[in-house]
Amino acid sequence: MKTTLSLVCVFASALMLSVVPALGQFSLDEIEASVGKLSDEMGRVDALLGDTDPNKRLAAMDMLIKSGNADYATRAREVGLFSSDKQMQRRALAAVFDAGGPFRFDIPLTGVAEDATRIRAYIKNWNTGVLRDNESVGQFLLYTAPFDEGKQCWTYKTSSSCAVTPTGEQYVFTDGSSFVGSFKLMPDATLAGEGSYRGNKTVSFVVNLVE
């Protein structure tokens, strides 16, 4: 009986191994067709986002972000972040914050005096705060909820306090009590700014939006 069961198991395993690779195989013709189709689709997306009429490209950005297609939405956000069009930048950044993050704040600490900034102590207070690279960089993660029309800000995902508030090209970041800073979108699609903990000396920080 044991011998029969063993043979059945071996046969079943061999059958599965022979079927699984076949399910994942694609011919060159199928690969070329799929790649060509995807390339054509993304080319059309890029054409919409690059329309010479600013109203059309803004409308395209909004619709692509809300399309439900992750590839279209990602391309629209990235094009907007790198665009020189300020309205596209704002729309893209709004979509990024609406998505919730996480957003990693990197704070260079080399040469930063702790007694003047208290920033290392502040970073350690964050649940996600860490000091890395021999404490030369501090970092923490921010998660946001979709834009609150009533408060005109993006609140923290876990509370109703404002985390990020748009003020023109500048955005104010606050933890609600002890840290206040501001940042703006840079040409390389990073957020760069400065802030201070409890009124101490300011420190700089960077948030990479496209890794």
Side-chain angles (χ1 to χ4, degrees), residues 77-132:
R77 287 193 296 266
E78 289 188 358
V79 169
L81 293 175
F82 285 102
S83 174
S84 59
D85 183 322
K86 299 298 183 183
Q87 290 190 68
M88 289 188 75
Q89 289 179 8
R90 286 193 289 271
R91 301 278 182 93
L93 195 49
V96 168
F97 283 127
D98 281 342
F103 305 103
R104 190 187 75 225
F105 281 64
D106 288 326
I107 304 173
L109 297 175
T110 301
V112 174
E114 179 64 7
D115 58 351
T117 62
R118 304 301 299 163
I119 193 63
R120 292 173 180 80
Y122 174 72
I123 292 169
K124 290 177 181 178
N125 283 336
W126 278 75
N127 290 334
T128 59
V130 295
L131 301 175
R132 59 180 177 81

Side-chain angles (χ1 to χ4, degrees), residues 147-166:
F147 192 73
D148 187 313
E149 293 291 346
K151 295 182 177 181
Q152 289 293 292
C153 69
W154 287 275
T155 64
Y156 283 88
K157 193 169 186 177
T158 56
S159 79
S160 59
S161 298
C162 285
V164 178
T165 304

